[in-house]
Amino acid sequence: MDPVSRDLDSENRDSRPRKDSTADLQTHMGDMQITRGGDMLMDDYDVGDEKSDVAEITPDSSTDEPQDPLAHDFEGMKARMLPLLPDLEPESESIYTWDIENYRSLTRKERSPKFDCGGHPWRILLFPFGNNVDHASLYLEQAHGDEDKPPDNWYACAQFTLCMWNKNEPTIYMCHTANHRFTAEESDWGFTRFSELRKMFAQQWEGTGRAMVENDAVSVTAYIRIYKDPTGVLWHNFINYNSKKETGMVGLRNQGATCYLNSLLQSLYFTNAFRKAIYQIPTENDTEKKNSAWALQRLFYLLQTSEDAVSTQELTASFGWETKHIFEQQDVQELSRILMERMEERMKGTKAENALAKMLVGKMKTYISCINVDYESSRIEDFWDIQLNVSGNKSLDDSFKDYIQVETMDGENKYFAEGYGLQDARKGVIFESFPQVLHLQLKRFEYDINRDAMMKVNDRYEFPEVFDAAPYLSEGADKSEPYLYQLHGVLVHSGDLTAGHYYAFLKPTVDGHFYRFDDDKVTRATLKEALEENFGGDYANMVNGHAGFRNPYTRTLSTKRSMSAYMLVYIRKSREKDILLDVAEQETPTHLAKQLNEERAALEKKRKDREEQHLYLPISVVTEDAFKAYQGFDLTNWESDPNAPSTPQTYRVLRASTVGDFTKTVAESLRLPAEQIRLWVMVNRQNKTTRPDQPLADLDMTISQAYSTHSTRDKPFRLWAETMTNVGDSKPSWPNMNPVPGIAPLVLIFLKYFNVEDQTLRGAGHIYMKRTSKVAEVIPAIQQLMGWSPSKDQALMSSTSSSSIPSTSNSAVSSPSIQLFEEIKQSMIEPLKPKSTLQQAEIQDGDIICFQKALSEKVNLTIASTGGYTDAREFYDYLLNRIVIRFVPKIATEQEESTFSLALSRKMSYDQYSAKVAEHLKVDPTHLRFSTVLSSTGKAKQPVRRSQGLTLAQTLMPALATYANSNQRPDTLFYEILEMSISELETKRNIRIQWLPEGVVKEEPADVLAPKNGIVEDLVPPLQLKFNLSDEAAGKLRFYEVHGYKITKYLNTNSLLANISDYSTLFAELIPEEEDHADDNDRAIDAFHFDKETSKPHGVPFRFVVKPGELFKDTKERLSKRTGIKGKQFEKLRFAVVQRSLYSRPTYLNDEDDLSTIAIHADDQLGLDHVNRTRLFAGKGDSIFIR
């Protein structure tokens, strides 16, 4: 027999429960079938995952046994079919055989007698004619019955084989093997398609001449081995797994791609001294989302006290991260350093100051020491972590030896020692001290020059549980205390550069175990899982022909492990108890517990409210005071700021309560007797206004009945609370709104006052008038309401208005100083005819009449000159087009008041809203320039053109939107305060210049404003001022245009700026000295950079002097000086002569070549062939940051 082992990939296993709740191990891609003669029937499929899952087929993989055991050789079969699993300790074993007679007479489901293994009962479960399939189905089942229940939390990790065999011919058999964690919930596991029924009863079983089921009988043998569970999660399916219950610790939820952040945070949290130092940062008076120290404290406190996995959303929000940052995996070392810097800043001036440095900072010395003379140049620097090379090193010690490797400086590379001249010297790095907590960053990702890409290094790299750092200290270092370090944490990356996952193995206590922290899941881990399985390298015990294991993140097969350590955390053994000290809840900031308890109480209240929501009805009530405080259309804004005095008050009212009960509630909130409150139902009119319609007269009606009677389903229930004040001792009497024969009906009218001087429009109150009353009769009611006397108002006026109320016999009514308008809807404000009756004017209950004083022409002109409105209709138009714009300085400042908001009209021209902004900033409006804002990035777009015909609305929301102008914020503008007026600026042109101070390796951009009709010479003074150039240097400036990374044109001082292309880049540099002093025989050549192919240029092109007769090895020295590229980076360059045409073939140069004899044509250029490093990071997201 020649069985071969295979793992079952989780996606190839059918683990759906049987209809009778028996768990199922069904292999769609072919079960292993071991039959007579050792043949194995297996369908082809990709071999599975890196790690075995809950259940797997695991027969022996040996191939050199001389003879197959027979089915009744139970020990031989067990050795063959049930090999010991590595790294696991058996607890008990058992073999049981069930002889089955009268097979065809069996019922649908049969169970064997019970047998014992590991102190617990088991039995074989058989579906003789298949569990809804055309195969016999066979399972192993734990046999605890209702009377014999398993102990609480019982489980057994079992490796088992089920064999069906002919007891008269033991060479005929079929076996299947699996591993499973049996629990009370998953009490059985096995094989739905164990054996095809047709074959079982066929007379020719695999050519033997006999049947498997012979004489209606067959035997089934179960081989079981129970293993000890070292971690508590062996073959666990993690359904309903509770990290807190199993380990006492909780994980962190992954927001999208934040597993790298989670692994780092867990590492820092279980560095208890770090957690304690974070708790010591005072944050009780600075609790806001922008405070990263407060957010980190809350996160640590929740990890310490929560029962469930904790979210990191508050922390990432405090970093200033947006959604795009959540889905970008970043460099953990960079994140760690930035986080440490931010926490260090917050700790300054507190009792936690320098706590992190004392814990995490070591010292290293960089030195150059002369060999033959007594001279050394050195400097000592702090380090927070150490980056170690993995490639080329087999272990942690190898990396440290590589790190402190000494380089000899001799020959042409001698060191110039002050006072001694050129000397042979040794150059290197040595450590002066190591911190208490040592963070080691393993460089698992590096650039592969052959693949021209960043790649992950999956080579095997070993690191010890205990590390001795003493050999890497300088001779003068303080070694009075041993530098032995205990492994505390292993941060792991599984996958490759483009796809992967991060998790961590941490040892929270000095004498405890390692645990695996995988986002929201925390599990116990073995020492091998924490160390050896994260060394990387090839998988062990690979069978010949094995294609490898599938990477779960890239779905590719590989013989190398994709999971490997990328960061190690060691703690100095002599300081372990100080670093891993207990942090009691009493040592946490008290305000954290208080805040979280309040938040939990609020969440509980919300939950309770949701559960009881069907019993309550939300009712919005507009009061008289809210109407008087409101400025806008209609009686109120139903969606305004809840804290604004004009916002309707919302009540949560029991549906079963009465209108009278609710009236009392409203009266209590208004501090009035209930008799002085009358509630009116508000209805939505066709003109999209909401006005009172009728009072709720039946106080015994329930709220539910009132809602169903007077409101529309799924619409909010809105009421107006009418109040009656100054009633004295008499009982309040409400106006009767019901029609009475012979009496003119009353109409409820709301009044608004437009105050021209204050530029406000607010509610003034309400009045009742007879429908037959003239419009002019509203005036006395207004005067009484406002406390105006007719004579006084008359005295204020020097003239009358045509729209004023004309004189009548009543002097109070004939006051010419009041104008009346009806607010019909937002866009319809109509003047009222004084002689018309209210009925003729179609005034009905809830209508609004707006009034204003008619001022003198002089006063009106004064108000209009300041941008004010003198007519209520104009002010209504302003309200209709009002928009609140947020103005942000284009150049960021630390002054909070530099960002502000103004309410403006959409119809304003550039000059009008510029004047408003200038008034706020107290600057000249002609010196303001605005830019629209990209909604996707929040960055500025092109400046807004100053045009009288362009309104604010057209600027922010163009009517003919294209992609270029549709992707912009409709409520924000950037502003700049210029040194010159806009009109003067329009005569200028902004030119971006790339200044080259040191060869071509460094660029400094400069924006220069120059006259549109100017010349290149106009660019010199601004550059001279910006970069502090002398007059002599300014006279040696050279400007040239670059397009497609190649020089296209050199500009002289008289070249017109108008001829500079918008699609070119303008470079400026000082003419090199060698070019300035070139001989007559020397000539210049243009040079550019390319990456393997000349059609892939990059970098900064430059001009270079070619000297006749010079060997190219000497030319390269001048090239290094000219470009500023030195050392190993320069050694990687290849040089070629390239013709200017796009697809020309490069002629590569050797050290013995003479450039002047090869580059002989006018269009020849010098090409520098090297990798375009900017391309390597072109797809990378923004650099990580913490606000």
Side-chain angles (χ1 to χ4, degrees), residues 17 32 104 132 184 226 258 300 319 325 441 653 663 688 834 950 985 996 1037-1038 1087 1147:
M32 176 175 287
R104 289 181 173 83
N132 299 318
I226 307 296
T258 56
F300 282 178
F319 291 170
H325 302 114
Q441 306 286 345
V653 187
T663 302
K688 297 183 179 180
L950 191 66
L985 181 66
L996 303 175
L1037 282 175
R1038 173 166 60 199
T1147 302

Side-chain angles (χ1 to χ4, degrees), residues 191-211:
F191 312 95
T192 299
R193 289 180 171 87
F194 185 88
S195 179
E196 191 174 357
L197 291 170
R198 178 178 56 82
K199 291 184 178 180
M200 288 172 55
F201 291 96
Q203 292 302 315
Q204 293 289 334
W205 174 267
E206 302 296 337
T208 60
R210 302 180 70 167

